[in-house]
Amino acid sequence: MKNKEKELIAQIDLERMPRHIGIIMDGNGRWASKRLRPRLFGHQEGAKAIRRVVEITVELKLEYLTFYAFSTENWNRPDDEVKGLLKLLKDRLIKEIPELNKQNIYVQFIGTKDRLDPQYLADIEKMAEMTHDNDGMTVNIAFNYGGRQEIIEAVKGMNPEEIASLTPENMNRYLWTKGQPDPDLIIRTSGEHRLSNFLLWQSAYSEIYITDVLWPDFGKIDMLEAIIDFQKRNRRFGGLK
Ligand code: IPE
Ligand code: IPE
Ligand code: MG
């Protein structure tokens, strides 16, 4: 392990780790453009950053990690890019399964089935299934994910009694992140200051950390710095102190 990494790990209070971190992986396209390469090359490099982040968070015994991989609005991109992103996800996931199992990581997709080819969906669900006996860190892949869509699907799935007894506390059981704590920390790379439809319900009290680093350059040190920054925040949840 690099010295700087060790130094930063030593600064983290393991008793006060966030339980759930969400990451809006942004800037792949700009990273590629700066190198005069196609946008898809940026996405490929971005996939490597995912592995680095998973490695360091497993080490820190994080419980839940959510990656925003493809939004419901990302269908608005050119066909080639969309096709490339779908293919990349499937190809990478299948390659990562043995390592994910070795690390005891449980993978699940959160998102809507809308617009996805049923065979494609079945294929990626089958891959995620291969990690379902693992009880270490949970990795949510927010794929074809939209926060508004999640809330609408939740409401549409409720019967009248469920609607009548709905509370801010029990809403969680109808969401794709059912049973999971809300993200304590949301990281967005590439300097954009917005949520872009990510975990809208769940982010009500999330701490937001924005870095100018483009996603393919994001490494273990950046992740550690985000957690250290988080631990300096004063979370008030509307109260005082
Ligand atoms: C994030 O990188 C990946 C996805 C949204 C799928 P972008 O592709 O948005 O990169 P920029 O924002 O164009 O640089
Ligand atoms: C958000 O990034 C979606 C993902 C990271 C998957 P975008 O690049 O799509 O967001 P906008 O369009 O800049 O808001
Ligand atoms: Mg972007």
Side-chain angles (χ1 to χ4, degrees):
M1 199 186 290
K2 295 190 203 97
N3 276 344
K4 172 95 177 163
E5 240 171 271
K6 275 195 197 148
E7 223 172 85
L8 292 175
I9 289 179
Q11 287 178 43
I12 291 177
D13 179 353
L14 294 173
E15 303 293 311
R16 286 175 49 250
M17 271 291 288
R19 293 187 65 197
H20 184 173
I21 299 178
I23 304 185
I24 304 173
M25 311 182 283
D26 200 12
N28 294 351
R30 278 163 281 171
W31 185 93
S33 298
K34 270 175 40 182
R35 287 162 180 77
L36 308 176
R37 301 292 298 266
R39 293 179 56 86
L40 222 42
F41 179 63
H43 296 313
Q44 281 161 2
E45 287 301 305
K48 297 182 187 165
I50 298 183
R51 189 184 241 263
R52 296 193 288 268
V53 167
V54 167
E55 274 174 20
I56 192 76
T57 47
V58 163
E59 199 174 311
L60 295 169
K61 301 201 165 39
L62 183 73
E63 292 174 79
Y64 299 92
L65 181 58
T66 301
F67 290 106
Y68 201 7
F70 189 85
S71 76
T72 43
E73 289 70 38
N74 286 146
W75 292 103
N76 294 329
R77 297 190 177 193
D79 250 16
D80 281 358
E81 183 170 350
V82 170
K83 282 203 189 95
L85 279 166
L86 300 195
K87 185 174 181 316
L88 178 66
L89 178 93
K90 195 168 140 179
D91 292 352
R92 280 302 295 209
L93 187 60
I94 190 72
K95 284 201 195 101
E96 295 292 338
I97 296 288
E99 185 59 27
L100 290 163
N101 280 332
K102 213 164 100 195
Q103 305 266 12
N104 195 24
I105 294 168
Y106 172 95
V107 177
Q108 71 161 4
F109 286 102
I110 58 171
T112 169
K113 295 178 170 47
D114 268 11
R115 298 180 74 161
L116 284 177
D117 169 54
Q119 186 55 53
Y120 178 86
L121 190 66
D123 289 348
I124 59 169
E125 287 287 0
K126 208 165 110 196
M127 290 181 214
E129 233 357 269
M130 293 181 210
T131 68
H132 276 203
D133 290 334
N134 300 334
D135 59 2
M137 183 165 77
T138 295
V139 170
N140 299 313
I141 303 176
F143 173 72
N144 202 16
Y145 177 90
R148 290 181 168 182
Q149 288 78 355
E150 178 178 35
I151 294 166
I152 287 172
E153 285 193 26
V155 173
K156 283 186 172 169
M158 291 176 200
N159 63 40
E161 294 86 74
E162 287 174 319
I163 292 177
S165 58
L166 196 59
T167 66
E169 290 73 31
N170 72 21
M171 176 72 175
N172 173 281
R173 70 171 76 129
Y174 304 102
L175 298 174
W176 293 322
T177 52
K178 182 182 164 165
Q180 302 185 8
D182 290 339
D184 303 290
L185 170 63
I186 292 179
I187 298 171
R188 183 163 187 154
T189 56
S190 85
E192 304 294 354
H193 293 236
R194 55 179 170 264
L195 284 172
S196 303
N197 210 7
F198 184 55
L199 300 179
L200 293 186
W201 176 276
Q202 299 89 330
S203 62
Y205 272 98
S206 302
E207 295 296 327
I208 316 267
Y209 180 87
I210 290 160
T211 168
D212 286 336
V213 173
L214 301 175
W215 179 249
D217 289 328
F218 195 86
K220 294 185 179 182
I221 304 264
D222 301 293
M223 190 67 195
L224 293 166
E225 283 173 347
I227 295 171
I228 290 167
D229 187 89
F230 166 83
Q231 292 193 326
K232 291 184 188 141
R233 309 275 182 102
N234 179 5
R235 301 185 79 189
R236 288 187 286 272
F237 299 99
L240 301 177
K241 198 176 85 63

